Amino acid sequence: MIDEKNLCLKLAKANTSKEVIKILKKEKLWDNPNYWEDFDKNPNNFSTIGAQQSSALNALVEKFVNQGDSILTNECLINGIDPKDLTNAPDSLKDAMEKFLNVPNGDLDQISDKERTTLARKCGGVCVTGDKDYPTYAVFDFGEGQHPEDFEDTFLALSRSNKTGIPFVQGKHCSGGTGALLFCDDGLQLIISRRNPKLKNTNQSDEIGWTITRKIPAKAGARNAVIQYLVIN
């Protein structure tokens, strides 16, 4: 039986794709197709995923965009406001930052260095490890989070309308975050999330969910590679 928590921690501590693949092979997961599902349940998903950002830097920036969106959406929900309520929800990024994060005019230059540091610690961050030429980036936030049951409609979906109708977020198309997969060794990206306990539905557990993606090269007769994600339970 697979110890999912221990496996997740091992993957989180790995700094190279070789380490990750070795761990998954030891658990007899890497080479077993029964544990892998096509991203967005679409075997032609790379036609969308591979057409996002044209540079690794832009793909990384998209992660920070999603980080900010999660923070602001979380604050909106905690304040009892439906993010899609055009009457009560902020109508712009600037208004949301002012209303929820106390940043005047949404301009970070208008708060002190100390206030900026305090705000950053409240919101999340990034950790860089591994080889300096081929680093591993861990981007984390203290936003709304997602329940394991919702992964396939959020983190593992393409072109959904999750953010459509929320005027103050920057991401809109539920695809940009996948752009990083083009620049990751073997398409490897570990996703760990927990729904903010203050926001979860009463019938939901308080569990932490996780999965990892990978890229399968195009097979004979196929035009594109395919991105898959791990499904254990």
Side-chain angles (χ1 to χ4, degrees):
M1 185 174 179
I2 299 171
D3 183 340
E4 297 173 47
K5 177 181 177 179
N6 188 49
L7 175 56
C8 177
L9 292 173
K10 286 181 179 179
L11 293 171
K13 293 175 182 178
N15 285 319
T16 68
S17 58
K18 289 182 179 179
E19 287 181 68
V20 170
I21 294 172
K22 182 178 180 181
I23 292 169
L24 293 173
K25 283 191 172 184
K26 186 175 181 180
E27 293 287 346
K28 296 181 171 53
L29 295 171
W30 184 261
D31 297 311
N32 189 337
N34 294 326
Y35 286 103
W36 298 89
E37 179 70 58
D38 292 340
F39 201 103
D40 199 43
K41 303 292 181 71
N42 178 9
N44 191 36
N45 54 51
F46 203 74
S47 60
T48 299
I49 292 172
Q52 298 301 313
Q53 296 83 18
S54 59
S55 74
L57 180 58
N58 289 340
L60 180 60
V61 168
E62 184 68 29
K63 295 296 185 185
F64 300 133
V65 168
N66 289 338
Q67 183 186 53
D69 288 349
S70 178
I71 294 295
L72 292 175
T73 301
N74 179 68
E75 294 298 320
C76 189
L77 291 168
I78 284 178
N79 280 274
I81 302 172
D82 180 349
K84 295 184 179 182
D85 182 348
L86 300 183
T87 300
N88 296 304
D91 59 9
S92 68
L93 173 63
K94 182 185 76 171
D95 289 343
M97 290 181 66
E98 186 168 33
K99 182 180 182 68
F100 299 135
L101 303 180
N102 298 315
V103 178
N105 298 311
D107 184 359
L108 292 172
D109 287 335
Q110 294 190 31
I111 60 176
S112 67
D113 290 345
K114 183 178 180 180
E115 290 173 321
R116 199 176 300 126
T117 298
T118 300
L119 179 61
R121 287 175 175 167
K122 175 184 177 181
C123 292
V126 59
C127 180
V128 186
T129 59
D131 187 277
K132 68 177 183 178
D133 294 321
Y134 298 96
T136 292
Y137 293 90
V139 180
F140 61 95
D141 66 68
F142 304 113
E144 59 174 324
Q146 299 296 335
H147 189 270
E149 291 179 357
D150 299 325
F151 273 33
E152 291 183 340
D153 293 318
T154 53
F155 298 131
L156 306 171
L158 294 170
S159 303
R160 303 294 174 88
S161 57
N162 300 329
K163 293 184 179 181
T164 302
I166 302 179
F168 57 84
V169 298
Q170 298 179 76
K172 295 292 184 184
H173 305 295
C174 192
S175 298
T178 63
L181 299 177
L182 182 65
F183 305 99
C184 295
D185 283 350
D186 299 294
L188 293 170
Q189 176 178 247
L190 179 65
I191 301 170
I192 306 173
S193 190
R194 174 197 186 200
R195 186 66 171 170
N196 184 341
K198 296 180 180 179
L199 303 178
K200 72 181 183 67
N201 296 329
T202 54
N203 62 338
Q204 285 183 330
S205 70
D206 196 25
E207 292 180 330
I208 296 171
W210 69 273
T211 187
I212 191 167
T213 63
R214 70 175 183 179
K215 182 173 70 175
I216 300 299
K219 299 179 181 178
R223 180 174 298 180
N224 292 325
V226 61
I227 297 294
Q228 299 180 326
Y229 60 91
L230 182 67
V231 180
I232 296 177
N233 184 344

